[in-house]
């Protein structure tokens, strides 16, 4: 019969790497609470990334205007600034999301 193993068996076969606590989980959860409609993660290259979730999709017009689906940064504070630049209204007349000089889109790395 194809059924999942009982919970006590499932814990016993969970790989060791999956049992370790993510030291950045609280920061990630904080970003996701601060910016609803965005998910975040920290890569194994120590870069911070955020992506728009399906809860807050972009229109074709917004994409063409320069809004980004994914932003990245060197620090969590820079990531927050990059997300903020994507969601706050354009105040300086430039293209949407063009505000943060330190954060970069994946398409335009340094």
């Amino acid at each position: 019969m194809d059924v999942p193993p009982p919970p006590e068996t499932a814990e016993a076969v969970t790989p060791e790497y999956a049992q370790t606590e993510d030291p950045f989980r609280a920061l990630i959860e904080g970003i996701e609470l601060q910016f609803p409609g965005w998910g975040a993660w920290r890569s194994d290259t120590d870069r911070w990334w955020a992506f728009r979730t399906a809860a807050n999709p972009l229109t074709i017009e917004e994409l063409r205007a320069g809004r980004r689906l994914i932003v990245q940064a060197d620090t969590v504070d820079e990531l927050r600034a990059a997300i903020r630049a994507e969601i706050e209204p354009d105040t300086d007349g430039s293209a949407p999301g063009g505000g943060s000089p330190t954060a970069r889109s994946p398409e335009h790395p340094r």
Side-chain angles (χ1 to χ4, degrees), residues 2-74:
D2 266 342
V3 295
E8 62 276 357
T9 308
E11 289 177 335
V13 297
T14 303
E16 186 177 316
Y17 65 84
Q19 296 175 6
T20 59
E21 182 64 29
D22 181 359
F24 301 103
R25 188 75 230 150
L27 286 171
I28 291 168
E29 288 173 356
I31 290 169
E32 291 173 351
L33 285 172
Q34 183 179 3
F35 301 104
W38 286 83
W41 80 95
R42 187 168 184 265
S43 72
D44 58 356
T45 61
D46 297 332
R47 303 269 312 143
W48 286 92
W49 298 76
F51 61 96
R52 292 178 189 266
T53 65
N56 191 16
L58 292 177
T59 65
I60 293 297
E61 291 79 20
E62 289 172 316
L63 287 167
R64 288 180 179 151
R67 296 261 186 217
R68 294 179 284 182
L69 296 172
I70 299 173
V71 293
Q72 60 177 312
D74 292 323

